[in-house]
Amino acid sequence: QKIKKHMLNVTCAHLCHYTDTCGRQLDKEFSSMHQCKVKDVVDVAPLLLPADPKMLSYAGFITAGKQSFYLKIILPENGILKDARIECEWKLQLMLRGYESVIKKRLQQSQDLPSFLLELKSVL
């Protein structure tokens, strides 16, 4: 089934509404469970938004200083942050060269995605 994502306003009340092609809202319980989590991510990195209906991947930009860099964080199906995969543009990769072990350690120690993003910003 095709999924349409309607981004109306980046607020907790209207954060992300996922509907299937018939216009039915998908799993209200699941989306309300993740709504505050997404809001927390948006508070830390306003240009990083959910990239799939299950909210297991986030794509967009992270700002460091006056520069913005493309970043994608892909969580595994179990949602465990320490097993996440990070993809980014080459400029950000160059900036983070030499800090891979620090980033991996902070990824493992962070309790959630917003706290990891704060850690990542501190490295930048």
Side-chain angles (χ1 to χ4, degrees), residues 78-91:
N78 61 15
I80 297 175
L81 185 61
K82 70 177 184 172
D83 298 327
R85 191 174 83 233
I86 299 172
E87 298 174 359
C88 61
E89 67 176 84
W90 66 271
K91 290 178 187 177

Side-chain angles (χ1 to χ4, degrees), residues 25-59:
Q25 191 169 0
L26 297 175
D27 197 356
K28 291 179 184 178
E29 192 174 312
F30 182 82
S31 59
S32 66
M33 176 178 74
H34 288 286
Q35 203 169 44
C36 289
K37 178 182 172 185
V38 174
K39 184 188 181 309
D40 293 341
V41 171
V42 171
D43 286 344
V44 175
L47 300 175
L48 192 67
L49 297 171
D52 68 74
K54 291 184 179 180
M55 297 183 200
L56 291 174
S57 66
Y58 291 78

Side-chain angles (χ1 to χ4, degrees), residues 1 9 33 37 41 51 60 62 74-76 83 107 111 124:
Q1 288 183 344
N9 222 347
M33 176 178 74
K37 178 182 172 185
V41 171
I62 190 166
I74 304 156
L75 300 169
D83 298 327
L107 188 62
Q111 292 192 21
L124 294 172

Side-chain angles (χ1 to χ4, degrees), residues 1-116:
Q1 288 183 344
K2 291 184 179 180
I3 304 290
K4 292 187 240 174
K5 182 171 144 185
H6 302 282
M7 292 303 294
L8 302 174
N9 222 347
V10 183
T11 66
C12 196
H14 300 101
L15 202 43
C16 293
H17 299 282
Y18 292 95
T19 56
D20 64 14
T21 51
C22 298
R24 296 177 301 232
Q25 191 169 0
L26 297 175
D27 197 356
K28 291 179 184 178
E29 192 174 312
F30 182 82
S31 59
S32 66
M33 176 178 74
H34 288 286
Q35 203 169 44
C36 289
K37 178 182 172 185
V38 174
K39 184 188 181 309
D40 293 341
V41 171
V42 171
D43 286 344
V44 175
L47 300 175
L48 192 67
L49 297 171
D52 68 74
K54 291 184 179 180
M55 297 183 200
L56 291 174
S57 66
Y58 291 78
F61 295 87
I62 190 166
T63 305
K66 293 183 180 183
Q67 292 184 306
S68 292
F69 303 97
Y70 177 77
L71 177 72
K72 185 171 186 178
I73 299 175
I74 304 156
L75 300 169
E77 283 293 320
N78 61 15
I80 297 175
L81 185 61
K82 70 177 184 172
D83 298 327
R85 191 174 83 233
I86 299 172
E87 298 174 359
C88 61
E89 67 176 84
W90 66 271
K91 290 178 187 177
L92 183 56
Q93 250 181 343
L94 286 176
M95 283 181 66
L96 296 173
R97 187 171 283 155
Y99 293 96
E100 293 92 344
S101 61
V102 172
I103 293 168
K104 187 173 183 173
K105 187 174 185 178
R106 291 187 181 182
L107 188 62
Q108 292 174 347
Q109 293 174 344
S110 296
Q111 292 192 21
D112 55 20
L113 186 55
S115 62
F116 170 71

